[in-house]
């Protein structure tokens, strides 16, 4: 399951994506067709493609050749494709395997007849890291493989330089129906962001925006101890924070507990201010529409000042750790694990990190997720970001671009398709302590994958019938069921129950999605020129200003920040963003 921030860093899914050169089906002389998993299947019908000697039983004339499978047809003879790879320290390989030779490269060879060759492999996948730098050098020099993994800025550079193959027709013919479904699960923006002048120039590596929606995590055992009800409004949230700070919920007789957790970066998915801001209809670091339909930057809107005033008051009352300004997410997690935090605004994955550590230290600790609560009579619309961070492109003139789609077809079918099996999932995704999916050169992930796990697992828990679950769902079901029936009280099983169980965090996500409550950022293009030049400094000033206000600076500091933001490049960025919106 794919999760952001610390979930990715600590538990599972740090993804690196690669593009590979592909082959045209016009040269596909394969003698076998394939089933939907890519497993070769000899054609046993009267009309075969195996040999020119096959005949039509009624006419004794040669039978027409079968149409090659556009989705999983194997190249015969095999083809070689070139790409590059950016990895990180979380990449681990089973004995005898490497980035060049592993279960996924073997799968590509055996099922599709594709041999992957990397021009270079570097470690460092963080923004601005060695991988991005190396790719920038390759783009500048023109020394590019046939299939290229790029970010949004690099995609725009290559498109403007006329270096990319138009994938419009290739996508329509070779993307399987299941892959097309996955690429559109998060809405049309993913493919739209890869489309220029009506032409699809890249395939987006899709993720899930809904998975990043904010929610409130509260120590339910503390609520019960203090005879408090779950929050319905922000007034309730503030009252709970005050009670957790002043009424000794941990029972040690000392005033050493805090109402909410915060970290020095203010964001990040744990101890994050985003959810609180959304409760006041403020949308930090997001582009939203104003009353006239123009795009404006959420962090400089008046609602932000209102929410910052609330945080300032909470800090003044001791409801926030006085040292939050020097504690990153890891340090704040330690405080949470020690049992000194009663509530935090975070995301769906928080039980797996760091709340599970609190459960390990205190078996009686029980965290419960709740939807964001509004500060007034207007509904909350939790903000979510754009879920595509990387794209796969094909160098203009490269042979066989359809191989890119075939490989993506194989990845999604192996993971979540109707034909996948527990054995296949364990072999190619996770198992034996390895995150095997990382070996696949390129990937696409269903936006609804985790929500569907919740819906299917909870249905199976009610019906006691697991026959319809796919391998990943069955694995989650078994963890949850073993926690619930007491057969395995491993804290990690508790964490999965808190995410995918009947009262898990995806109950909140399901409520958001069903109610069409999520607010997607309005800008999903490549960084504009002014963003590239000035955004880093503006974001640094934003973080410093907001932190100082929370810790006691005058609220008028916010108005001065807005003025500076506009003068130091914000107005220029805003104009570029609105120009993009008019021309997208």
């Amino acid at each position: 399951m794919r999760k952001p921030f610390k979930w990715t860093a600590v538990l599972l899914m740090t993804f690196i994506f690669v593009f590979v050169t592909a082959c045209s089906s016009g040269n596909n002389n394969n003698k076998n067709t394939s089933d939907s998993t890519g497993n070769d299947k000899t054609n046993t019908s009267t009309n075969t493609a195996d040999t020119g000697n096959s005949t039509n039983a009624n006419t004794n004339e040669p039978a027409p050749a079968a149409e090659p499978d556009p989705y999983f047809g194997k190249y015969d003879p095999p083809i070689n494709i070139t790409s590059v790879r950016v990895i990180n320290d979380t990449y681990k390989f089973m004995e005898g395997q490497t980035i060049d030779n592993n279960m996924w490269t073997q799968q590509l060879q055996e099922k599709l007849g594709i041999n992957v060759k990397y021009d270079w492999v570097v470690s460092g996948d963080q923004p601005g890291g060695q991988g991005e730098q190396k790719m920038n050098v390759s783009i500048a020099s023109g020394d590019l493989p046939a299939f290229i993994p790029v970010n949004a800025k690099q995609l725009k550079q290559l498109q403007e330089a006329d270096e990319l193959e138009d994938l419009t027709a290739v996508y329509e013919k070779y993307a399987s129906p299941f892959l097309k479904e996955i690429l559109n699960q998060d809405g049309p923006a993913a493919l739209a962001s890869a489309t220029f002048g009506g032409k699809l120039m890249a395939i987006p590596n899709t993720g899930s925006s809904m998975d990043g929606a904010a929610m409130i995590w509260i120590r339910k055992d503390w609520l019960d101890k203090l005879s408090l009800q779950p929050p319905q409004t922000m007034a309730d949230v503030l009252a709970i924070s005050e009670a957790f700070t002043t009424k000794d919920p941990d029972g040690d007789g000392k005033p050493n507990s805090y109402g909410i957790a915060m970290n020095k970066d203010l964001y990040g998915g744990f101890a994050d201010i985003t959810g609180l801001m959304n409760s006041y209809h403020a949308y930090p670091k997001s582009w939203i529409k104003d009353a006239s339909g123009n795009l404006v930057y959420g962090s400089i809107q008046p609602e932000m000042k209102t929410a910052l005033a609330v945080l300032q008051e909470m800090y003044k009352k001791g409801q926030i750790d006085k040292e939050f300004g020097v504690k990153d997410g890891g340090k704040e997690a330690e405080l949470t694990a020690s049992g000194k935090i009663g509530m935090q605004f975070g995301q769906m994955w928080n039980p797996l990190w760091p709340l599970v550590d609190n459960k390990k230290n205190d078996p009686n600790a029980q965290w419960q997720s709740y939807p964001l609560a509004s500060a007034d009579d207007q509904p909350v619309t939790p903000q979510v970001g754009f879920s595509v961070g990387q794209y796969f492109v094909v160098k203009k003139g490269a042979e066989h671009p359809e191989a890119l789609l075939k490989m993506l077809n194989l990845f999604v079918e192996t993971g979540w398709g109707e034909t996948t099996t527990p054995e296949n999932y364990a072999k190619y995704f996770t198992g034996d302590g390895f995150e095997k999916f990382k070996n696949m050169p390129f990937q696409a992930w269903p936006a609804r994958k985790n929500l569907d796990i919740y819906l299917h697992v909870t249905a199976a828990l009610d019906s006691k019938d697991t026959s319809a679950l796919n391998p990943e769902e069955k694995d989650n079901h078994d963890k949850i069921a073993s926690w619930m029936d007491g057969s395995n009280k491993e804290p990690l099983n508790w964490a999965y129950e808190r995410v995918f169980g009947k009262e898990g965090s995806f109950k909140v996500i399901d409520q958001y999605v069903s109610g069409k409550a999520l607010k997607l950022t309005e800008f999903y293009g490549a960084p504009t020129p002014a963003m590239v030049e000035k955004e880093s400094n503006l974001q640094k000033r934003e973080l410093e200003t907001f932190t100082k206000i929370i810790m006691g600076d005058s609220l008028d500091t916010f108005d001065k920040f807005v003025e500076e933001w506009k003068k130091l490049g914000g107005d220029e960025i805003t104009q570029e963003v609105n120009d993009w919106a008019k021309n997208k």
Side-chain angles (χ1 to χ4, degrees):
M1 120 186 220
R2 191 182 189 185
K3 292 103 182 155
F5 188 57
K6 289 292 185 180
W7 166 291
T8 300
V10 178
L11 285 156
L12 290 177
M13 305 278 185
T14 306
F15 309 124
I16 306 299
F17 313 97
V18 173
F19 301 82
V20 236
T21 316
C23 299
S24 162
S25 65
N27 294 329
N28 186 342
N29 298 316
N30 56 306
K31 297 183 180 181
N32 295 323
T33 59
S34 301
D35 65 17
S36 58
T37 61
N39 294 316
D40 291 337
K41 234 181 2 178
T42 302
N43 189 329
T44 58
S45 66
T46 304
N47 297 336
T48 73
D50 283 339
T51 172
N53 295 326
S54 62
T55 60
N56 185 300
N58 295 323
T59 65
N60 284 326
E61 294 180 359
E67 180 73 18
D69 180 356
Y71 307 141
F72 302 100
K74 183 177 181 179
Y75 294 100
D76 184 10
I79 62 170
N80 296 323
I81 58 176
T82 59
S83 188
V84 296
R85 201 72 196 266
V86 185
I87 62 175
N88 60 44
D89 292 341
T90 69
Y91 279 63
K92 307 297 181 184
F93 301 99
M94 299 182 70
E95 185 175 357
Q97 297 191 1
T98 67
I99 190 66
D100 297 299
N101 181 20
N102 54 69
M103 75 287 297
W104 268 109
T105 61
Q106 294 163 12
Q107 173 86 331
L108 295 174
Q109 293 168 348
E110 294 169 6
K111 304 301 184 186
L112 298 179
I114 297 175
N115 299 314
V116 182
K117 305 293 182 182
Y118 297 124
D119 289 353
W120 50 258
V121 178
V122 299
S123 181
D125 64 336
Q126 69 276 17
Q130 291 185 20
E132 183 176 337
Q133 294 174 26
K134 179 72 172 177
M135 181 55 68
N136 287 340
V137 171
S138 296
I139 291 173
S141 66
D143 184 16
L144 297 168
F147 280 31
I148 317 164
V150 293
N151 60 29
K153 179 183 176 183
Q154 293 162 343
L155 169 60
K156 184 179 180 183
Q157 285 178 305
L158 289 169
Q159 164 62 19
E160 292 177 344
D162 194 28
E163 292 280 356
L164 302 181
E165 187 75 14
D166 179 0
L167 299 177
T168 309
V170 174
Y171 171 80
E172 287 302 322
K173 181 175 181 179
Y174 292 97
S176 69
F178 186 44
L179 176 61
K180 289 178 178 178
E181 175 191 330
I182 284 174
L183 295 178
N184 284 280
Q185 273 189 4
D186 225 12
L191 287 172
S193 71
T195 302
F196 299 81
K199 296 180 179 180
L200 184 67
M201 305 307 294
I203 305 299
N205 175 34
T206 50
S208 176
S209 60
M210 68 180 73
D211 283 6
M215 60 189 65
I216 313 172
W217 285 97
I218 303 179
R219 284 281 300 263
K220 180 65 165 56
D221 55 311
W222 285 12
L223 283 181
D224 294 342
K225 181 177 181 179
L226 300 180
S227 299
L228 299 172
Q229 296 300 310
Q232 301 297 317
T233 67
M234 268 306 294
D236 296 336
V237 172
L238 298 180
I240 291 170
S241 178
E242 181 177 9
F244 284 176
T245 305
T246 61
K247 296 187 177 181
D248 191 27
D250 59 357
D252 67 356
K254 301 175 182 178
N256 57 1
S257 56
Y258 300 98
I260 67 168
M262 280 180 52
N263 76 85
K264 70 180 181 64
D265 298 314
L266 301 185
Y267 307 105
F270 161 70
D272 185 328
I273 68 170
T274 303
L276 185 143
M277 296 292 172
N278 292 172
S279 295
Y280 288 88
H281 316 297
Y283 305 96
K285 303 180 76 171
S286 184
W287 289 89
I288 60 176
K289 286 185 179 179
D290 65 9
S292 61
N294 294 319
L295 300 192
V296 294
Y297 186 54
S299 290
I300 65 169
Q301 304 311 305
E303 292 83 0
M304 284 293 295
K305 184 177 181 180
T306 301
L308 286 170
V310 172
L311 284 171
Q312 184 185 80
E313 187 67 16
M314 296 175 76
Y315 181 83
K316 187 184 302 182
K317 292 180 176 179
Q319 297 174 21
I320 300 170
D321 178 14
K322 295 293 185 184
E323 298 179 351
F324 90 88
V326 295
K327 290 184 177 179
D328 60 16
K331 289 296 183 182
E332 197 66 15
E334 292 176 6
L335 188 65
T336 303
S338 70
K340 300 305 177 185
I341 298 290
M343 177 168 52
Q344 62 100 10
F345 289 86
Q347 294 180 3
M348 59 88 180
W349 47 267
N350 291 169
L352 288 132
W353 186 90
L355 305 184
V356 68
D357 293 329
N358 182 213
K359 187 68 173 180
K360 291 175 183 176
N361 293 333
D362 180 3
N364 293 320
Q366 179 67 345
W367 288 88
Q368 177 64 51
S369 55
Y370 299 96
L372 298 182
S374 180
D376 54 27
D377 59 356
Q378 298 300 308
V380 177
T381 52
Q383 72 182 73
V384 291
F386 186 49
S387 63
V388 178
Q390 196 160 30
Y391 298 84
F392 308 133
V393 298
V394 179
K395 186 177 180 180
K396 191 171 186 178
E399 292 185 281
H400 314 309
E402 78 284 348
L404 174 60
L405 281 306
K406 289 187 176 186
M407 295 169 72
L408 279 167
N409 292 340
L410 184 63
F411 181 78
V412 300
E413 183 64 33
T414 303
W416 311 282
E418 292 182 357
T419 62
T420 193
T421 64
E423 293 75 22
N424 262 357
Y425 192 84
K427 185 174 182 180
Y428 297 108
F429 277 74
T430 60
D432 305 313
F434 293 90
E435 295 172 326
K436 300 172 184 177
F437 60 85
K438 292 181 179 178
N439 295 318
M440 181 61 169
F442 70 96
Q443 307 168 9
W445 292 76
R448 283 187 57 94
K449 178 176 77 73
N450 292 331
L451 178 57
D452 284 341
I453 290 174
Y454 160 76
L455 294 172
H456 299 161
V457 165
T458 53
L461 289 170
D462 286 337
S463 68
K464 310 299 183 185
D465 180 5
T466 63
S467 61
L469 301 181
N470 69 30
E472 187 177 14
E473 293 166 349
K474 180 64 163 56
D475 180 60
N476 281 281
H477 171 277
D478 292 350
K479 288 184 173 72
I480 294 168
S482 67
W483 173 264
M484 292 173 61
D485 66 21
S487 61
N488 188 340
K489 285 297 187 178
E490 162 63 39
L492 192 57
N493 291 340
W494 168 86
Y496 277 98
E497 189 276 332
R498 290 289 84 191
V499 176
F500 293 120
K502 294 181 181 180
E503 298 300 321
S505 53
F506 269 92
K507 180 179 180 181
V508 176
I509 299 289
D510 187 36
Q511 179 177 324
Y512 290 159
V513 173
S514 299
K516 302 186 185 319
L518 297 177
K519 190 178 186 72
L520 182 68
T521 180
E522 296 287 344
F523 177 72
Y524 49 82
T528 69
M531 282 181 181
V532 173
E533 181 182 355
K534 300 172 182 179
E535 189 174 49
S536 178
N537 178 55
L538 292 177
Q539 290 191 352
K540 181 180 178 181
R541 286 173 175 266
E542 178 179 326
L543 177 62
E544 292 174 348
T545 301
F546 291 179
T547 301
K548 289 179 179 178
I549 290 174
I550 293 168
M551 299 178 76
D553 269 14
S554 169
L555 285 172
D556 293 338
T557 307
F558 177 81
D559 302 316
K560 295 176 182 177
F561 159 74
V562 172
E563 293 176 6
E564 289 184 353
W565 186 89
K566 290 174 174 287
K567 292 178 182 177
L568 296 176
D571 278 346
E572 187 178 356
I573 291 173
T574 301
Q575 183 60 55
E576 291 175 345
V577 167
N578 279 278
D579 290 343
W580 167 87
K582 292 174 184 176
N583 297 308
K584 66 179 180 179

